[in-house]
Amino acid sequence: MRYSGFRVIKEALTGHKGWKPTWRDAEPQPEYDIIIIGGGGHGLATAYYLAKQFGQKRIAVVEKGWIGGGNVGRNTTIIRSNYMLDGNEPFYEFSLKLWEGLEQDFNYNAMVSQRGILNLIHSDPQRDAFVRRGNAMILNGADAEYLSREQLQEELPFLNYDNARFPIKGGLAQRRGGTVRHDAVAWGYARGADQHGVDIIQNCEVKGIRQKNGKAIGVETSRGFIGAKKIGCAVAGNSSRIMGMVNRKLPIESHVLQAFVSEGLKPVLPGVITFGAGHFYVSQSDKGGLVFGGDIDGYNSYAQRGNLPVVEDVCEGGMAIMPMIGRARVLRMWGGVMDMSMDGSPIIDKTDIEGLYFNGGWCYGGFKATPASGWCFAHLLAKDEPHETATAYRFDRFHKGLMIDEKGMGAQPNLH
Amino acid sequence: MIINHPLLGPRDSQEFTYLGDMSLINRPDWEADDAVDQFHEYLYLRDNPAGEHKELWFHEQGDRSWLVVTRNTLTHDITKVEIAKDIARQMGRSK
């Protein structure tokens, strides 16, 4: 069923009796050509592009809980492509271009809103660094715009420009950045994949990966063994648990990142704003809540909840740039588990086990990457070679010294 | 989280800096033939368990000692806190 304005009117006039479930509740078949482990944004996008773009058949997504119940429903919904390094920027710009056409492509309203993202500048060296990054973005076909303090004061009069410690001296804007309704991304990809014949199998936990002669031949699940010619692992946050089933150590630690929503307010924020001196970023959802977050807690965790010191740190960041936020009350806060990689960049690569492919290490930037991650992982699974924008996301880059370290922090995952 | 320091008693985890897996104590021999492989594993690869995890915390705003904290990554329960120096010595370091 295609969704359209006409369909909404027709259903309204006929008592809404024609709506069908958005995807089938599939029973696992004994064997598939390709199994994707993980029914989150990346896994569903991979399945969708495998079926639609790369013409693959007999695909299944297996998910431990329900689809969209993990990080794709726990992030702060921001999309952007404001990276600097060569290994990253073409990939994230590819992703942003896919976001721009996504709703027409999968015929689902994901509320993609290009309301812009602004990184604030608080010192002269930071201005140099941000202008350099803006130039790198422009060289890779993205948009970037330097805004002076005066321009910002006109656009965003509510910011604290004269904070004694961190005055606002300007900003780097990407107007094409913005926010997306994150749950709708999971649902849209699930629906699109389902329409192309992908089996989405929920409540199906992977317990092991069966191997024969050094080749992965299927997954042991809570609903029995399912055979597969190829297996793709897209479970960021829990990557080490899946790869631990085949005794592989990853260049990844799992950390908890907290996010917050205030009570609903009338429109006050036009776009996404990030603090350049501490770690704080904020946008306003269409429901009116201020959605904001900051640093990870900084210790290994699979608990999906964080501690209060980071709550305080995030709120201090908010008060520093936007004192009016102190008038809003925090309504909810929650934690998600991140794959923090050793250089802050992801991995989309084959493993050393034939038939087993890996997608993970997204740190806390996985949501914006969802379309390109799915596309590039599908490319790798279908053609056995990396997509041109994802050639740097290899396992062996750590061994070879080819890290993609945007922040220059080294092998210390809690600092990326 | 409260870390029960063996010398100073219960302290707020905010006083500490987190480094990571306890295996970082075991720095490989740089003169070994396979030093590149050993350092790759030492520096970049992690067990990253969901459950009990032995990890290094530095008491930066306290007595500047390194601690090995046994903590459950699923619940944040801390079950054991030891001085890292003692553990390193037990493993044969700095004899």
Side-chain angles (χ1 to χ4, degrees), chain A residues 354-371:
Chain A
E354 195 189 336
L356 182 61
Y357 300 73
F358 181 81
N359 174 329
W362 290 100
C363 298
Y364 40 79
F367 178 69
K368 77 178 89 67
T370 304

Side-chain angles (χ1 to χ4, degrees), chain A residues 2 45-57 59 101-102 104-107 189 192-193 195-198 375 378:
Chain A
R2 273 194 73 78
T46 304
Y48 172 72
Y49 291 121
L50 271 171
K52 179 163 189 279
Q53 208 64 37
F54 296 95
Q56 300 295 307
K57 301 269 186 286
I59 303 162
L102 184 65
Q104 294 303 319
D105 185 55
F106 67 20
N107 178 233
Y189 274 124
Q195 285 177 344
H196 286 88
V198 173
W375 187 294

Side-chain angles (χ1 to χ4, degrees), chain A residues 26-28 35-39 61-66 200-207 219-226:
Chain A
E27 282 297 315
I35 287 179
I36 307 296
I37 305 172
V61 176
V62 294
E63 163 59 42
K64 176 172 74 172
W66 64 94
I200 296 166
I201 306 162
Q202 303 182 79
N203 300 308
C204 182
E205 181 179 357
V206 171
K207 305 273 196 185
V219 290
E220 313 281 356
T221 75
S222 54
R223 293 169 72 171
F225 174 75
I226 309 174

Side-chain angles (χ1 to χ4, degrees), chain A residues 240 298 300-302 399 412, chain B residues 18-19 37 44 48 71 73 76:
Chain A
S240 296
N300 287 44
S301 175
Y302 285 91
H399 200 280
Q412 192 59 43
Chain B
Y18 180 80
L19 183 67
D37 292 334
Y44 295 115
N48 193 22
R71 191 178 56 92
T73 57
H76 299 163

